[in-house]
Amino acid sequence: MPKLTVDGVEVEVPPGSTVLQACEAAGAEVPRFCFHDRLSVAGNCRMCLVEMEKAPKPVASCAFPAGDGMVIHTKSEVARKAQKGTMEFLLINHPLDCPICDQGGECDLQDQAMGYGYHSTRYDENKRAVTDKYMGPLVKTIMTRCIHCTRCVRFSTEIAGVTDMGMLNRGEDAEITTYLEKALDSELSANVIDLCPVGALTSKPYAFVARPWELKKTETVDVMDAVGSNIRVDARGAEVLRVLPRLHEDVNEEWISDKTRYACDGLKRQRLDRPYVRRDGKLQPASWPEAFAAVAGAMKGLKGDQMAAIAGDTVDAEAMYSLKRLMGEFGSTNLDCRQDGAKIGGPRAGYLFNTTIAGIEDADAILLIGTNPRWEGSLVNARIRKRWMQGPVSIGLIGAPVDLTYDYEHLGAGPKTLSEIADGSHAFAKVLKAAKRPMLIVGMGALAREDGAAVLAAARRIADDSGMLIAAAKDDDGNEIAAWNGFNVLHTAASRVAGLDLGFVPGADGRDVAGIVEGASSGAVKLVYLLGADEVDSDFGDAFVVYQGHHGDNGAHGADVILPGAAYTEKDGLYVNTEGRVQMGVAATFPPGEAREDWKILRALSEAVGKTLPFTTLEDVRAAMRKDHPSFAAIDTIEAAAWGEFGVAGATDDAPFAYPVDNFYMTDPISRASKTMAECTEAFVLPKREAAATGTNG
Amino acid sequence: MSTKPIAEAHLQPDSFEWTADSKAFIDKVVAKYPAGRQASAVIPLLDLAQRQHDNWIPLKAMDAIAETLSMPRIRVMEVATFYTMFNLAPVGKWFLQACTTTPCWLRGSDDVMRCIKDKLGLSANYTSTADGQFTLLEVECLGVCANAPVVQVNDDVYEDLDYDLTAKLIDDLKAGKAPEVGSMSGRKGSMSKDGPTSLVSLKDSDGVPAWFAKKQASAGGDD
C-alpha cells in the first residue's frame, strides 16, 4: 500500500492506484477532461497536471502510478501554472459560443475554465473550424468544440462494444468521427453525450430546448425494461424534456439505454387525458362519474369468475395491488400479469435474476437461453460485456445467433440443445460443471411459449447439476466463500416481478391470459379489466373491456370504457426490477388533463362499485401491500431468494426460441408513441429488416 | 497541412484482392508479432496495399487489412489518416512531397515551391496536374536537412534543389526518366561540395584522405 503526501495530507492508497486517485482520496480536487473512472486511461488532455517533488516537470496525475513516499502538490504555483497553461491551449481552438451551446451550464470546460483558466486569451490567430459529422438521429455534433479527449471513442469501443468511432488525421487536423460518418449503431450510443466534457456531442432531440437551470430534476427509475435503471427526469412545467442516468453501481452504473433516454417524447403524444365511454359503438368523451357508472353497470350482477384482469408491462406495484384487492372483493381469481404468456411463477428464486446484475462480474461461465440481452436488458448485456473484457469467460447462447458485442459460442437454436446440456451430453455442460461460478440466464423467448414450463424445469435442472447453487461457507483456510445462485430470469417487463411478487397470477381455478382470451370469446368471461395491458393481441369477443392506462394504444382501441391513468414519470410508485430489487419511482410532472394516478382511480372505482378499498393515501396502499407481501418492505436491497421447486418437467417442442424483442426501439406504448424512437427504428431497424428480407447483407 | 482527402465513392474500386506476392509478404510480416498482436502489422500492410494499388489505398483495401488483421476498420483508418505517407485518394504517377520545414525553408524551399507552381501549376496540397502525371503535397521534415531543400518523388528523395534544378527534375520526370537519386547539384552525400573538410589530418601524401580515395575507387571512380 503506497503512502504518499498530497497537499500536506498523508494518504494510503491501494497498490495500482494512480496519483489522481490518491489526490481524490486526500480530498484534493484535480481538473480533468479525458480521464473517466469507467474508461481506460488515455492521458491526452493534460489537464490533470500536478507537481511532484523531485520530478523535473509536472506529471499527468491520471496516468502516473502512485508510489510510496511521493510528495504531490495540486495547488502549488507550478501545478497551477501548468493547469492554466493547458487550459489556455485547450481554449485556443475552442469557439466562444457558450451562449448558443447546449452544454452551457453543465459544461466541464466552462466550469474548469472558471476555476483553472486565465480571464482572457492571448491568442490572436484564426481558430480552426471542423466540419460536423453525422452520428445518427440521437447525437448532434458540433465538432469545432471538440477538445479530443477521446472519451466517446473509448466508450464506444470499451463499454458499448461498437468499434465505429475513432480519431482521424493528427495534430491540428485531428477529428473525431464515426467510420465513414455512419450512424453510431449501438443501443447505448447516447451515453457519449453525457461523457463529452464539452458541447461537441449533444443531444439531437433536445437541441436548443432548455437550459439546465430551468429544469426541475426528479430522481426516479425507468420502466422501459426490467433492469430498473436509475434515472433523473428533467421537466419544465408539465413537460418531461429529457431523461438522464443516475449512478447506481449495482444496476446501471452510470449508463442508460437510448430507449430509456429518448422514449420520453412519447409521453406527449397519444395520451389519454380524459375518460371515454363507448356509446353507439363509438368511444366518446365522458366525465369520471359517467365512466365509473358505466363500469359499475357492467360489473353489476357478475360473479367473480365472469370477471378477469390483466396487468400491463409498465404498471406500478401499488396499482396492481389495488386491482388485485378489488378483483378479490368480487371473488375473481382470473388475474394475470404475464401478457406474453410466460410460464413463470412459484417460488421467488424461480423468476428472479438471482445472481444480481453486479454479480455477473464474478461469473466465469454464462449460458444464455432464448434471450438476446442486448435488446431485452441493454445494461445486463453491458455488464456481461464488462465481465468479458475483464478476462476469460465462457459464454454460450441457445437461440438465433445475434451480435451481442462480445464473443460467445452458439450452441443451438432451441430446446433440443437445452435438453442436451441438461442431460450432460452437450460439451457446454462440462464447461458449466468445471466453472467455479457458473450462471445461466433464461429469457422470455424461452419461457413465453407452450412448453415454457418444461424449458424452465430444464434450466432449473442445469442449475442444480452444474453447481450453480453455492451456499455461503468457509474454505479450508477459513476464508469466506460467498453464496452464489447462478439461476437467472431476464424479464422484459418492468412490472413483471412486482406482479409475480404480489401474486397477480391466476388463483385456484383462475384463468391466465390465454384462458381469459378464450373465456371472453366463448362468453364465459363477461368483463375484462386491462390495467395498462397493451400487448394482448385480442379483441376479447363480446366481453366488456375496461382499459385503464395512459396511451391510446392497442389496449384502448377495443375498450368500452377508458380510464386515463398516469405514466411512470407522473406518479409515485414502486417497481421491482428483474433482480427483485424494489425501487421507488417519483412523480416528475402531473398526469395530463383529467388523468389520475392509477391507485387513486382504482380506489375511486371501488367506491363506485360498492366495494370500497380500505385505503385513502398512497402510504395506506403501501402499508397494506407491505403487510401482505413483506418483500416490498425494503427499498433497494436484495435478499437472496430461497431455492425451491418450479417448472414442470416434460416434453419440449423442437421449435427454436424466438426472441421477444424484435424492434428494440419500440416495445411499449410510450416508446411506440415517441418520434425519436420512430427515427431510430428508421435508421437502425428497418435497413436491417430489408437486408434480411432481400437476403443481402449491408 | 490540411485534412487528407478520401477518394469519392465513384473513384473507389468495387473490390480489392491481395495478390499472391502480397499474401506471401503478409504471412511473413504477421508472423513477426505474437499471437493476438497481429494489429501491429497494420503499417506494413497499408504500405503493401498502397504499392499494390497505384500508390493509393482504397476503402476496400482498408477493409481487407482490417479483416486480415482482425481489427476494426476505424482503427485501420486512424493509422492510414495519421501518416502523410499513405494516400487515400488517387495521386499522379509522380507524387511530389516538398519539404518546407525550417531548414529547407532557410535554404530556399520557397524557390522550389515557386518552380513547381510555375512548371506544373500546383500549389495546394493534394492537387494534380490535368494529365494526372503529378500530385503535390507540402510536407514537414523529411529528415534530409543537411541537403536541404529536398523534394521526395514517390520513394526517392532529391536534394540540394534550387529553382533551376527543380525545373530540371520536373522536366526529366515529364520525359519519363527519373534522375539519379540524391543530390541534384552533384555533391556526394552531405559532404561539402568542394570535397572533404573534416578528418583531413588523416590524408595521405596525395592530399586525399585514404578512406575517401578507397570509397572513390569502390564507386567506380567515374566522378
Side-chain angles (χ1 to χ4, degrees):
Chain A
M1 297 269 280
K3 212 182 249 183
L4 55 168
T5 313
V6 179
D7 293 345
V9 180
E10 196 162 272
V11 284
E12 208 174 325
V13 290
S17 299
T18 62
V19 171
L20 181 66
Q21 284 165 325
C23 291
E24 278 176 346
E29 185 189 274
V30 179
R32 84 285 307 263
F33 292 111
C34 71
F35 178 80
H36 192 277
D37 289 325
R38 282 167 224 283
L39 304 175
S40 63
V41 173
N44 53 6
C45 77
R46 315 311 288 178
M47 195 62 214
C48 64
L49 292 174
V50 295
E51 183 187 2
M52 183 167 87
E53 279 184 14
K54 295 189 187 125
K57 53 186 180 174
V59 297
S61 59
C62 74
F64 207 87
D68 205 33
M70 282 179 177
V71 182
I72 307 289
H73 301 285
T74 66
K75 294 177 183 66
S76 66
E77 202 185 329
V78 169
R80 281 289 186 194
K81 205 175 164 197
Q83 290 162 357
K84 283 188 160 190
T86 304
M87 178 57 79
E88 192 174 17
F89 270 115
L90 285 173
L91 292 179
I92 276 181
N93 276 319
H94 191 82
L96 286 174
D97 61 353
C98 302
I100 56 148
C101 176
D102 262 327
Q103 193 85 353
E106 48 188 8
C107 175
D108 288 357
L109 188 62
Q110 213 174 26
D111 295 347
Q112 293 183 27
M114 294 304 291
Y116 301 91
Y118 292 108
H119 55 80
S120 60
T121 179
R122 293 182 287 173
Y123 187 71
D124 290 332
E125 311 297 320
N126 288 330
K127 292 182 180 233
R128 77 172 198 151
V130 183
T131 48
D132 294 341
K133 307 288 184 287
Y134 175 75
M135 287 195 191
L138 302 177
V139 182
K140 183 186 168 187
T141 65
I142 303 96
M143 295 318 284
T144 303
R145 296 177 187 149
C146 180
I147 58 167
H148 309 107
C149 69
T150 69
R151 274 188 189 179
C152 52
V153 176
R154 284 174 283 145
F155 173 83
S156 56
T157 307
E158 293 162 19
I159 311 277
V162 178
T163 315
D164 271 343
M165 286 189 92
M167 184 159 74
L168 300 191
N169 301 307
R170 62 169 172 177
E172 196 195 8
D173 299 311
E175 292 182 3
I176 299 286
T177 185
T178 51
Y179 185 75
L180 299 181
E181 288 196 43
K182 289 207 172 73
L184 191 55
D185 188 1
S186 163
E187 69 286 359
L188 299 173
S189 66
N191 288 301
V192 299
I193 297 165
D194 293 338
L195 284 171
C196 184
V198 298
L201 306 179
T202 56
S203 171
K204 215 177 232 178
Y206 176 73
F208 307 128
V209 169
R211 284 301 192 185
W213 54 85
E214 303 170 331
L215 303 170
K216 191 186 121 208
K217 298 150 182 101
T218 310
E219 300 198 336
T220 181
V221 291
D222 170 55
V223 299
M224 293 296 142
D225 55 29
V227 173
S229 296
N230 285 221
I231 55 172
R232 192 185 90 191
V233 174
D234 285 4
R236 186 174 56 188
E239 217 181 331
V240 172
L241 295 181
R242 63 174 181 176
V243 171
L244 296 176
R246 191 154 60 86
L247 181 72
H248 194 311
E249 291 290 354
D250 294 334
V251 181
N252 56 312
E253 298 185 274
E254 60 189 85
W255 323 120
I256 52 174
S257 73
D258 290 351
K259 183 165 56 177
T260 299
R261 188 184 299 262
Y262 283 122
C264 63
D265 62 343
L267 292 167
K268 287 182 284 191
R269 297 159 168 270
Q270 297 267 338
R271 288 305 300 269
L272 301 169
D273 57 357
R274 60 191 305 172
Y276 289 83
V277 174
R278 194 175 289 275
R279 297 190 192 100
D280 312 326
K282 268 190 168 165
L283 280 168
Q284 291 177 355
S287 67
W288 276 108
E290 285 169 353
F292 284 149
V295 180
M299 281 186 171
K300 204 169 179 184
L302 291 188
K303 289 204 221 53
D305 60 357
Q306 292 174 310
M307 293 159 72
I310 302 174
D313 289 349
T314 59
V315 186
D316 54 306
E318 290 89 337
M320 281 189 284
Y321 178 73
S322 305
L323 181 57
K324 192 190 171 201
R325 287 284 294 261
L326 181 60
M327 298 305 282
E329 296 286 330
F330 285 97
S332 173
T333 55
N334 300 331
L335 303 173
D336 208 344
C337 63
R338 302 161 302 186
Q339 290 185 86
D340 54 6
K343 304 285 187 289
I344 37 172
R348 250 189 136 210
Y351 59 81
L352 289 188
F353 202 95
N354 295 298
T355 307
T356 73
I357 295 170
I360 293 172
E361 289 179 39
D362 298 326
D364 53 359
I366 304 173
L367 173 63
L368 303 170
I369 305 167
T371 181
N372 174 1
R374 198 171 172 195
W375 296 155
E376 293 162 31
S378 306
L379 291 149
V380 170
N381 198 57
R383 201 65 86 122
I384 300 175
R385 180 177 160 80
K386 187 178 177 187
R387 171 65 193 85
W388 177 79
M389 293 281 281
Q390 281 167 357
V393 56
S394 317
I395 304 172
L397 171 72
I398 308 178
V402 281
D403 178 8
L404 292 176
T405 71
Y406 42 82
D407 294 337
Y408 63 86
E409 193 184 336
H410 184 240
L411 306 172
K416 199 163 156 276
T417 316
L418 187 68
S419 324
E420 284 169 17
I421 296 177
D423 64 28
S425 60
H426 196 285
F428 203 77
K430 291 181 190 73
V431 174
L432 289 174
K433 278 205 180 87
K436 287 203 180 75
R437 289 268 191 258
M439 66 182 281
L440 62 82
I441 302 176
V442 197
M444 290 304 120
L447 299 176
R449 42 191 270 152
E450 281 301 314
D451 58 358
V455 171
L456 188 65
R460 187 187 179 285
R461 196 175 145 202
I462 294 172
D464 270 335
D465 292 353
S466 334
M468 291 194 188
L469 292 143
I470 301 168
K474 286 199 168 152
D475 68 8
D476 300 341
D477 302 331
N479 298 320
E480 296 273 340
I481 299 176
W484 178 261
N485 184 343
F487 180 86
N488 300 290
V489 176
L490 179 59
H491 293 272
T492 51
S495 67
R496 185 67 53 84
V497 174
L500 295 168
D501 280 353
L502 290 166
F504 206 99
V505 287
D509 303 326
R511 294 169 183 271
D512 61 5
V513 167
I516 293 168
V517 170
E518 187 268 322
S521 60
S522 73
V525 173
K526 304 236 183 284
L527 182 135
V528 180
Y529 199 107
L530 300 177
L531 179 61
D534 289 284
E535 321 295 331
V536 183
D537 192 19
S538 167
D539 59 358
F540 299 105
D542 292 331
F544 188 88
V545 178
V546 181
Y547 178 79
Q548 176 182 339
H550 42 80
H551 273 75
D553 205 82
N554 304 340
H557 291 161
D560 294 294
V561 171
I562 292 176
L563 306 174
Y568 71 110
T569 53
E570 295 151 6
K571 60 186 169 190
D572 294 338
L574 296 177
Y575 298 92
V576 187
N577 82 348
T578 192
E579 306 168 286
R581 184 188 300 275
V582 181
Q583 300 194 101
M584 200 177 284
V586 180
T589 60
F590 294 105
E594 292 175 40
R596 291 292 177 269
E597 291 179 25
D598 291 276
W599 76 270
K600 282 186 184 162
I601 296 171
L602 286 154
R603 166 66 177 73
L605 176 66
S606 70
E607 203 168 325
V609 298
K611 307 269 189 193
T612 309
L613 293 171
F615 28 74
T616 51
T617 64
L618 184 62
E619 204 28 65
D620 289 349
V621 187
R622 286 184 180 161
M625 197 163 75
R626 280 196 288 266
K627 201 163 144 250
D628 292 350
H629 307 282
S631 66
F632 284 92
I635 303 288
D636 198 14
T637 51
I638 299 266
E639 200 152 315
W643 195 238
E645 281 299 324
F646 53 83
V648 181
T652 50
D653 196 346
D654 270 352
F657 297 135
Y659 299 127
V661 178
D662 179 39
N663 175 1
F664 166 72
Y665 297 99
M666 288 190 174
T667 51
D668 61 288
I670 300 170
S671 54
R672 279 195 288 266
S674 159
K675 198 170 148 247
T676 313
M677 291 296 100
E679 283 169 12
C680 287
T681 304
E682 205 172 316
F684 302 118
V685 181
L686 297 184
K688 279 179 206 154
R689 269 194 203 153
E690 265 166 42
T694 55
T696 55
N697 193 6
Chain B
M1 282 217 358
S2 59
T3 311
K4 186 184 295 197
I6 296 175
E8 308 261 332
H10 69 275
L11 294 170
Q12 295 283 353
D14 292 332
S15 63
F16 177 88
E17 291 290 335
W18 294 114
T19 61
D21 286 352
S22 296
K23 278 184 185 151
F25 179 77
I26 291 168
D27 290 343
K28 234 166 72 185
V29 174
V30 171
K32 286 185 193 169
Y33 302 101
R37 303 270 182 228
Q38 303 88 332
S40 302
V42 66
I43 291 176
L45 261 64
L46 280 165
D47 182 62
L48 179 69
Q50 178 159 303
R51 283 172 199 285
Q52 191 189 308
H53 193 273
D54 289 341
N55 210 11
W56 70 283
I57 307 167
L59 290 173
K60 290 282 177 196
M62 281 191 260
D63 290 354
I65 292 168
E67 201 180 314
T68 309
L69 302 179
S70 318
M71 62 194 288
R73 294 179 299 181
I74 186 79
R75 295 283 103 87
V76 179
M77 197 178 237
E78 281 178 338
V79 177
T81 54
F82 186 92
Y83 294 103
T84 51
M85 296 79 174
F86 298 125
N87 300 317
L88 303 183
V91 292
K93 182 180 171 194
W94 307 111
F95 181 55
L96 310 181
Q97 299 181 60
C99 175
T100 55
T101 307
T102 316
C104 281
W105 174 63
L106 288 170
R107 294 280 298 141
S109 68
D110 284 353
D111 291 338
V112 175
M113 293 304 283
R114 190 160 52 84
C115 177
I116 292 173
K117 175 139 202 234
D118 291 348
K119 299 279 291 181
L120 300 171
L122 303 179
S123 57
N125 282 338
Y126 292 109
T127 49
S128 302
T129 50
D131 59 4
Q133 288 285 301
F134 292 89
T135 301
L136 173 68
L137 176 63
E138 187 182 332
V139 295
E140 301 302 329
C141 187
L142 292 169
V144 202
C145 309
N147 292 15
V150 300
V151 168
Q152 184 176 341
V153 179
N154 296 343
D155 285 340
D156 301 324
V157 181
Y158 294 93
E159 303 150 7
D160 296 328
L161 295 169
D162 55 22
Y163 189 94
D164 294 336
L165 287 174
T166 309
K168 179 176 177 299
L169 171 65
I170 291 171
D171 286 338
D172 281 359
L173 294 173
K174 268 187 180 166
K177 58 177 179 69
E180 197 187 331
V181 179
S183 172
M184 289 290 283
S185 70
R187 69 168 160 151
K188 274 284 151 198
S190 48
M191 187 194 288
S192 160
K193 70 181 194 308
D194 301 323
T197 55
S198 55
L199 301 181
V200 285
S201 60
L202 297 174
K203 66 188 172 189
D204 60 13
S205 50
D206 298 335
V208 180
W211 59 269
F212 184 65
K214 201 168 151 200
K215 202 168 172 216
Q216 291 277 64
S218 71
D222 54 0
D223 51 351

